[in-house]
Structure formats: structure tokens, C-alpha cells
Amino acid sequence: MYELFVLGQLMSGDKHGYLLQERLKHTVGPIRQISSGTLYPLLSRMAENGWITLRLEEEQQGGRPRKIYSITDAGRERFHVLILSPLEHNLDTELIFHLKMALFRYVPKDIQIACLEQYMEYVRYNLKYVNSLLQMFSKKHNDEHILIYVMRMLEHRKHVALADIAWLTEEIERIKSGGDPPDPQENGGKSR
């Protein structure tokens, strides 16, 4: 997952490690953070694999030299392999989808649609599971007080899945029709 992020960030130009780490923090959110102890070994492995290169740039005012990373042709190929790879159904599925979506500007529309359809399949799979639980629990009458809260939690998950499906359907249609993404500055920062 972090390989895809790093390669995607380098698709737009060279970056130093600190900037990559800061952008990754903003991308994955406030709960899930990546440490220097995770990022820099990853960058070293990616350089060993020939996906990125490293050059040292002297820091201003006598500080330590900054490490500047660039993507290679092999790295561009690896980026396309990763963005085309099917989404696995696990705890990171939503985050990986969001990472891929943020990098759509580097891939053609058919790949964007394929990624959206893969995520739609994942959401529908979860919705089917939630619906089966709702049906099963609605037939039980053991401890109705506890069941009420379980049912509310499942209703929330159902609501989120249905909203995701509606959004994904609209986004796929927008891409197929050749429309541009909505400007986030319009409508008070709200999409659509």
C-alpha cells in the first residue's frame, strides 16, 4: 500500500523523504500514521528494487543533506501494476481504494472505472453480509435490548454501503460520459 503511495507521489516529480512522510500522514488520516522507521526502510527497498533513485541535496545553512527521491521507468511500471492490482477484501481495502483514487490523474479512464467497479464489488459484498445479519437478527428474540443496538449498528453499515454504491454509480457514469470531476471550491467545498 505504501509503495503505491510513494510511487504515485513521485509521478509528479522528485520529493524529499520528509515531504513524502507529511503527505502520507495527510492521506491516511489522523489515526493511522507512518513513522520514519517505516518509511525510510521502505524507500531503501524501493531503491534496491530499482523503482526509485536517491540523490543527496545539500541543506541550506550547513544542515544535513536532504535525500531526494525520483521515480524510474521501472517504478512507473510498478506503479501501474499496483494500481491495476485487484482490491483484496481486508481491513485496508477502503484505504487502498482511496489511495488509488487520489492517483487517478496518472491512469486512463478505463483503469479508473475498473478501480471504482472493484470497490463497488467490495461494498456490495459487505452490504450482502450486513443484510444477511439483519435478517438473521430480526428473527431472534432472545435479548431484545442488546439486539436493538446491534441492529442499529447494522443499519448504519447498511446506510453507508448504500450511500457508497450511489456515489460510485454516479462517479462511474461521470467518467464514462467524459465529465470532469466537480471543482471542490464550488458549492462551499461540497462535491456534487
Side-chain angles (χ1 to χ4, degrees), residues 75-156:
R76 284 182 184 80
E77 289 176 24
R78 178 70 177 157
F79 168 80
H80 282 83
V81 165
L82 291 172
I83 207 156
L84 285 169
S85 64
L87 288 171
E88 296 178 21
H89 293 199
N90 59 41
L91 293 175
D92 289 330
T93 302
E94 184 176 344
L95 178 58
I96 293 169
F97 168 69
H98 288 151
L99 287 174
K100 286 183 176 191
M101 200 173 154
L103 300 169
F104 275 4
R105 68 181 177 258
Y106 302 116
V107 297
K109 291 184 178 193
D110 61 323
I111 294 173
Q112 294 174 27
I113 291 169
C115 288
L116 291 164
E117 288 174 343
Q118 285 178 10
Y119 190 65
M120 175 92 77
E121 178 186 321
Y122 167 77
V123 173
R124 285 185 172 146
Y125 173 82
N126 281 325
L127 179 59
K128 183 178 178 182
Y129 175 73
V130 166
N131 281 332
S132 70
L133 289 178
L134 282 167
Q135 186 176 19
M136 179 182 73
F137 287 132
S138 69
K139 294 176 183 174
K140 293 190 176 201
H141 301 289
N142 299 357
D143 189 346
E144 291 185 20
H145 181 70
I146 293 174
L147 266 183
I148 289 171
Y149 295 102
V150 171
M151 297 289 282
R152 294 301 295 155
M153 178 270 301
L154 291 171
E155 285 293 334
H156 174 258

Side-chain angles (χ1 to χ4, degrees), residues 7-8 14-15 21 34 38 40-41 47 49 64 68 79-80 100 108 114-115 120 125 135 152 159 166 178 188:
L7 294 171
D14 300 353
K15 308 277 185 309
Q21 186 172 8
I34 184 167
T38 300
Y40 285 98
N49 286 325
R64 291 187 335 190
I68 307 294
F79 168 80
H80 282 83
K100 286 183 176 191
C115 288
M120 175 92 77
Y125 173 82
Q135 186 176 19
R152 294 301 295 155
H159 177 79

Side-chain angles (χ1 to χ4, degrees), residues 26-67:
H26 296 303
T27 301
V28 299
I31 306 300
R32 185 179 195 154
Q33 295 296 310
I34 184 167
S35 68
S36 298
T38 300
L39 180 61
Y40 285 98
L42 170 68
L43 292 169
S44 294
R45 284 190 305 274
M46 292 175 73
E48 288 170 11
N49 286 325
W51 300 329
I52 61 175
T53 59
L54 162 68
R55 76 175 191 281
L56 296 178
E57 181 180 89
E58 286 302 318
E59 184 72 25
Q60 301 292 330
Q61 301 174 348
R64 291 187 335 190
R66 290 195 312 180
K67 295 178 178 182

